[in-house]
Amino acid sequence: MRKTLAVIALMATAGLTLTACGEGSDDEAKSSTPSKSEFNDADVSFAQEMIPHHEQAIEMAQLAQGRASSADVLELAENIEVAQGPEIDTLGSWLESWGEDVPSGDMAGMDHGDMSNDSGGTMPGMMDEEEMNDLKGASGAAWDRIFLEMMIEHHEGAIQMAQVELEDGQNPHAHAMASKIIRDQQAEIIQMEQLLEP
């Protein structure tokens, strides 16, 4: 009996260790009640920067309606919108619970230079106003190509931001979301690269 309990305890400890390393479940990523003692400045930056980053991705995805010529591209855009909208809500709820500012207003389409973070850098993968106007002005196969190329760059930026959170952040829920972003967006990058193939 003692040996069985010891094995169970060891497995439980191992499971907690994996979660702490950022391999948490999607349910953990959706949690909106992290305690104030479980976050640091990196977690706050991750949440505050990922909100406008996701907002721009959704704006880009919404442009697919009436412009995309490929059903696969249209479906991809819809999936991006469905996935990132709830993540924005979760990130905002974390910031509120931490007593931190929640980014407000439509920040999508702002220039790279305007999308600065606290360390003086810029958020990777953000499209500037000219690029967004190019996307808005295109249609058909040309729109599909521009959208895919831009969204690959945008996803790569989000993955870079998520990797910083895993390295520097401490909140387990933020770690879980960062891991999910990396996993989901890497898969979508592969899909988009395939759609760009002639």
Side-chain angles (χ1 to χ4, degrees):
M1 181 66 177
R2 289 181 180 173
K3 184 178 291 186
T4 301
L5 290 174
V7 171
I8 292 173
L10 182 62
M11 291 175 65
T13 302
L16 289 172
T17 301
L18 284 173
T19 299
C21 290
E23 296 299 328
S25 67
D26 291 352
D27 288 339
E28 287 170 319
K30 295 175 184 176
S31 173
S32 59
T33 57
S35 73
K36 292 187 73 65
S37 62
E38 294 179 329
F39 74 96
N40 61 14
D41 289 345
D43 297 315
V44 174
S45 294
F46 170 69
Q48 289 179 333
E49 293 176 7
M50 194 60 76
I51 288 174
H53 204 275
H54 272 14
E55 285 176 344
Q56 187 179 69
I58 290 175
E59 181 185 359
M60 293 166 67
Q62 289 174 337
L63 293 173
Q65 292 292 340
R67 292 180 175 86
S69 65
S70 165
D72 290 334
V73 172
L74 182 59
E75 181 180 5
L76 171 69
E78 291 171 348
N79 290 341
I80 289 171
E81 185 176 355
V82 168
Q84 298 195 21
E87 289 180 350
I88 290 173
D89 293 338
T90 299
L91 291 161
S93 69
W94 291 348
L95 290 168
E96 289 176 356
S97 72
W98 296 338
E100 300 289 343
D101 293 336
V102 179
S104 60
D106 182 11
M107 299 179 72
M110 293 178 66
D111 186 82
H112 280 94
D114 293 328
M115 303 305 296
S116 59
N117 55 31
D118 291 339
S119 63
T122 56
M123 281 185 281
M126 291 294 288
M127 299 298 114
D128 61 25
E129 185 177 358
E130 181 179 354
E131 289 168 319
M132 290 299 293
N133 287 337
D134 287 344
L135 187 62
K136 292 174 183 177
S139 62
W143 189 91
D144 293 349
R145 179 182 54 78
I146 295 171
F147 171 77
L148 292 170
E149 290 174 348
M150 285 186 178
M151 193 60 77
I152 287 172
E153 180 181 349
H154 205 271
H155 274 20
E156 288 173 342
I159 289 170
Q160 183 178 333
M161 293 162 66
Q163 288 170 336
V164 171
E165 164 59 25
L166 292 180
E167 292 171 4
D168 299 338
Q170 73 177 49
N171 181 265
H173 306 297
H175 272 210
M177 181 180 285
S179 293
K180 182 178 184 298
I181 288 171
I182 292 170
R183 181 174 65 248
D184 292 351
Q185 298 202 15
Q186 281 179 336
E188 287 178 345
I189 287 173
I190 292 172
Q191 181 184 359
M192 290 187 284
E193 288 174 341
Q194 292 172 342
L195 288 171
L196 280 170
E197 292 177 356

